[in-house]
Amino acid sequence: MPLHRKKPFSAKQKKMQLLAKRVSKRDQAAREDPEWDFRQRPNEESAPGGPQTAHAQTAKPATDGRNKLTSQFDKLSRVEIEDNKKRSMQPLHRLSLEDGLTMSFDDAYSADVDIPVRPEWTYGESKSVVEGREAAYFNSWLERLRASDEEVSLYEKNLEVWRQLWRVVEISDILLLIVDVRHPVLHFPPSLYRYITETTGKPLVVVLNKTDLVAENTVQAWMHYFKQRFPAVVLTRFCCYRDEALVDDTAVASMKMRRQRPRRRTHDSRLVGDLFAACRSVCETDKLGLVGWEDLIARYTDKVEEEEDSDSGDESSDGEPDEPVAPNEDADEEAHHGERVSSKYVTLGLVGHPNVGKSTIINSIVRRTVVSTSRTPGHTKHFQTIHVTPTLRLCDCPGLVFPCVVGRPMQVLAGLYNIAQVQEPYTSVQYLAERVPVERVLALHPPADARDPENFVWSAWAICEAFAIDRGFYTSRGARPDVYRASLHILRWVLDGRILLSFKPPGFFRDFAYLKELANEETQASVRSSDSASESSDTESIQPIAQKSMFALLDEENC
């Protein structure tokens, strides 16, 4: 069959196409907000807390179109952007390890900041009545949060996204809260913990994900810290990649040798057995018989070698435990009409922030791609149900940003906000450079016109400019270093783990309490296994791990 030639598309037709698209967007914006005028430019002289910022904080009702589940956040004013840009040009103020790389729950969350909880409802009520009650309650929650004395950072303002969380919590028997082990406190809202365990009375399992990005002592320290703050919480670890374990995740040498993750997706299911074992320990007694937990755990534990062989081949031929049912596209409609916990299944609901790896964990459990993944926050729009066995199903909840009191730069570095849409990335780079010697990790050189290159004082802007020159990022017109593109590139490397920003529990660097306790546990285990000589040498080498820090090199050179 002969191939048809493509129809020519002139520049004039392209211009008319863009013009028509622009007109349609203006009409849609006018329908959503009749008072909006595209000709009116923002007032550059308005204060950060003036009318422009207040207008940005007003939550608009979600439409029924494709943007129904699009996350809504506040935007910076022109004055705030310019002030932050000037601030990034100031010399960096290096922070100590204890002040810069430790985080507690008091640093991230406040008792006055909570999350919206779905109001009570019954099956006999109509859809409009239930939605009206939810909308009124959500608007009152927004007003109460704005009137709070706490300075709340970015958080989700779209009611439809919160409804996805409410429905997942309702239909799930066990909730899995996925947290990034690099900054787990940020991903563990205490208000969400209380909502799940106290309001709904359902069991919660906290999954420390991406453990391949940090050292083993960091994982152990965080597990010990969570057990101290929440004794009843069940913890487990998970990682989807098979990188070599880091000995020290705070050393510059280890960061320089950090390799990029493989481009081909790998669904590593070695730790799925531990994940299911944690779920079995909190499963209700009347539902333990629905799922053959022992056989399911053994299936993932005993076939590690077979899985490794299957991963080396085509992804579509990966050996999955059972042929999973396709994601339920009508799950949203079912839950909307009031679906409660089903007696036919054991449902595991995965909730958490964006970019913590919820969908990737599901793909690792099924051993093939059944849920689309992306490093763009908010990629998962509707929650989906995936069957692992005929009586066990997973429910993937869209990630949403919970209100907290940490700064916006930290939220950007944690992947809670789309990096491509960051208005001003230099503050985030400054936040990173105050805690991590980025110029050493990237092997950057001072500017050629620096008077004293050896004692050059770096700033966030200088780091981005030097990185742009090193990578060949230049503007198309003036051929100047593209600082904006370079800063976004650095933020993406942080999100991917190529530049490691890993926080530790309070006291980790000060008194080594967690390392000492870990050493004592290993010593006791060595006595029981009659191999105390070899184990004692390992425990002696644990304590100096955190001492070989990246800032020790900076302090020696008085940077």
Side-chain angles (χ1 to χ4, degrees):
M1 183 176 180
L3 297 177
H4 297 284
R5 296 180 59 185
K6 294 183 178 181
K7 185 178 179 181
F9 199 72
S10 64
K12 183 178 180 180
Q13 290 176 312
K14 182 65 175 179
K15 185 176 180 180
M16 297 300 297
Q17 183 189 43
L18 294 177
L19 181 61
K21 185 177 180 180
R22 195 177 300 116
V23 170
S24 63
K25 285 186 176 181
R26 290 174 182 173
D27 293 341
Q28 181 180 358
R31 289 193 300 269
E32 295 177 359
D33 188 1
E35 298 180 358
W36 179 79
D37 185 6
F38 70 94
R39 299 181 183 87
Q40 182 179 1
R41 298 188 61 182
N43 186 10
E44 299 183 1
E45 298 180 357
S46 61
Q52 182 181 351
T53 306
H55 177 73
Q57 291 181 350
T58 304
K60 298 179 181 180
T63 60
D64 295 332
R66 61 180 182 179
N67 295 327
K68 181 179 180 180
L69 290 174
T70 301
S71 298
Q72 298 176 2
F73 301 107
D74 295 339
K75 291 186 178 181
L76 297 174
S77 63
R78 287 180 177 269
V79 176
E80 292 174 318
I81 293 175
E82 293 298 327
D83 291 344
N84 293 339
K85 186 182 297 184
K86 294 177 181 178
R87 195 178 299 113
S88 66
M89 299 179 183
Q90 300 298 324
L92 292 173
H93 175 64
R94 303 289 184 178
L95 299 176
S96 63
L97 291 173
E98 186 66 27
D99 296 336
L101 289 180
T102 58
M103 182 182 294
S104 64
F105 285 102
D106 297 333
D107 299 332
Y109 293 96
S110 173
D112 299 334
V113 179
D114 59 351
I115 65 172
V117 179
R118 187 177 191 182
E120 294 292 334
W121 61 280
T122 60
Y123 285 100
E125 295 177 320
S126 63
K127 173 182 176 181
S128 58
V129 172
V130 174
E131 288 186 346
R133 185 187 302 118
E134 291 175 354
Y137 164 75
F138 187 74
N139 290 331
S140 64
W141 174 77
L142 288 176
E143 294 297 333
R144 185 173 68 253
L145 204 59
R146 292 170 189 151
S148 176
D149 297 334
E150 298 289 345
E151 186 177 352
V152 184
S153 300
L154 294 173
Y155 61 94
E156 183 59 63
K157 293 187 176 181
N158 190 346
L159 174 60
E160 293 298 329
V161 181
W162 285 101
R163 282 172 173 163
Q164 298 291 309
L165 173 66
W166 296 342
R167 294 164 191 169
V168 170
V169 173
E170 284 183 353
I171 68 175
S172 299
D173 298 281
I174 302 172
L175 276 304
L176 304 180
L177 178 56
I178 315 299
V179 301
D180 192 331
V181 75
R182 292 175 292 180
H183 18 71
V185 168
L186 178 62
H187 304 299
F188 188 92
S191 55
L192 177 64
Y193 171 78
R194 293 190 296 267
Y195 169 53
I196 295 176
T197 58
E198 298 176 7
T199 305
T200 64
K202 296 185 178 182
L204 176 68
V205 176
V206 178
V207 182
L208 299 178
N209 196 21
K210 304 181 182 181
T211 56
D212 55 313
L213 295 180
V214 299
E216 177 63 23
N217 63 331
T218 301
V219 180
Q220 294 293 338
W222 278 120
M223 296 184 73
H224 181 76
Y225 178 73
F226 271 85
K227 279 294 184 182
Q228 280 186 334
R229 293 296 301 266
F230 304 95
V233 74
V234 178
L235 293 166
T236 185
R237 62 173 64 190
F238 201 88
C239 66
C240 303
Y241 294 89
R242 304 177 183 178
D243 295 344
E244 297 180 0
L246 284 176
V247 178
D248 183 5
D249 55 6
T250 59
V252 179
S254 299
M255 292 185 179
K256 285 185 177 181
M257 297 176 61
R258 195 71 185 167
R259 296 177 299 177
Q260 187 179 7
R261 284 186 172 183
R263 294 184 180 275
R264 189 180 65 86
R265 296 176 181 174
T266 58
H267 306 308
D268 189 5
S269 58
R270 291 178 298 173
L271 299 177
V272 174
D274 297 338
L275 178 63
F276 284 152
C279 296
R280 179 191 57 183
S281 65
V282 298
C283 185
E284 296 180 359
T285 307
D286 56 346
K287 283 196 171 185
L288 277 175
L290 286 179
V291 181
W293 292 107
E294 298 295 339
D295 296 339
L296 189 62
I297 294 173
R299 184 180 302 164
Y300 285 95
T301 305
D302 299 338
K303 294 186 177 181
V304 175
E305 295 181 359
E306 180 181 349
E307 178 190 349
E308 291 177 354
D309 296 338
S310 63
D311 285 343
S312 60
D314 190 283
E315 291 185 2
S316 61
S317 61
D318 286 348
E320 59 271 8
D322 289 287
E323 184 66 23
V325 180
N328 188 359
E329 299 295 340
D330 298 330
D332 183 59
E333 285 296 325
E334 294 177 348
H336 182 75
H337 291 292
E339 180 185 353
R340 295 291 188 176
V341 176
S342 175
S343 59
K344 301 179 182 179
Y345 312 101
V346 173
T347 305
L348 308 180
L350 285 79
V351 298
H353 273 144
N355 263 329
V356 294
K358 298 182 294 295
S359 301
T360 307
I361 290 179
I362 291 180
N363 293 334
S364 299
I365 293 175
V366 184
R367 294 175 178 168
R368 66 187 182 94
T369 302
V370 294
V371 180
S372 177
T373 60
S374 174
R375 64 182 179 184
T376 301
H379 180 73
T380 303
K381 298 299 183 183
H382 294 268
F383 79 85
Q384 309 171 75
T385 55
I386 298 93
H387 287 256
V388 180
T389 67
T391 56
L392 178 65
R393 63 180 181 178
L394 308 173
C395 188
D396 185 18
C397 178
L400 71 162
V401 181
F402 302 97
C404 61
V405 295
V406 299
R408 185 188 296 245
M410 180 59 212
Q411 291 183 304
V412 174
L413 291 169
L416 307 186
Y417 192 80
N418 189 359
I419 293 178
Q421 297 178 0
V422 174
Q423 298 173 279
E424 181 272 309
Y426 315 110
T427 306
S428 300
V429 176
Q430 181 179 8
Y431 185 93
L432 171 69
E434 290 175 346
R435 292 157 176 79
V436 177
V438 182
E439 71 280 0
R440 290 179 173 270
V441 176
L442 300 177
L444 301 178
H445 302 285
D449 56 350
R451 296 181 179 180
D452 190 2
E454 296 182 358
N455 299 324
F456 180 74
V457 180
W458 289 93
S459 65
W461 185 274
I463 290 176
C464 297
E465 191 173 22
F467 186 66
I469 297 174
D470 182 71
R471 303 291 295 184
F473 298 155
Y474 293 95
T475 57
S476 57
R477 290 189 178 182
R480 290 185 291 266
D482 196 342
V483 183
Y484 181 78
R485 180 183 176 187
S487 59
L488 295 184
H489 211 77
I490 292 176
L491 297 183
R492 292 191 183 96
W493 278 20
V494 175
L495 184 60
D496 294 340
R498 299 183 65 179
I499 301 177
L500 183 58
L501 177 63
S502 173
F503 286 86
K504 307 295 187 295
F508 184 89
F509 300 103
R510 185 178 62 251
D511 52 14
F512 302 97
Y514 301 106
L515 298 178
K516 291 179 180 178
E517 183 168 345
L518 178 61
N520 293 333
E521 293 177 358
E522 292 188 358
T523 302
Q524 295 175 3
S526 65
V527 172
R528 289 193 298 266
S529 62
S530 68
D531 193 12
S532 58
S534 60
E535 291 292 337
S536 60
S537 62
D538 294 339
T539 56
E540 291 176 358
S541 62
I542 290 180
Q543 292 190 6
I545 287 180
Q547 295 176 356
K548 299 177 182 179
S549 63
M550 51 191 170
F551 284 94
L553 299 176
L554 296 175
D555 294 338
E556 291 176 1
E557 299 187 7
N558 297 324
C559 292

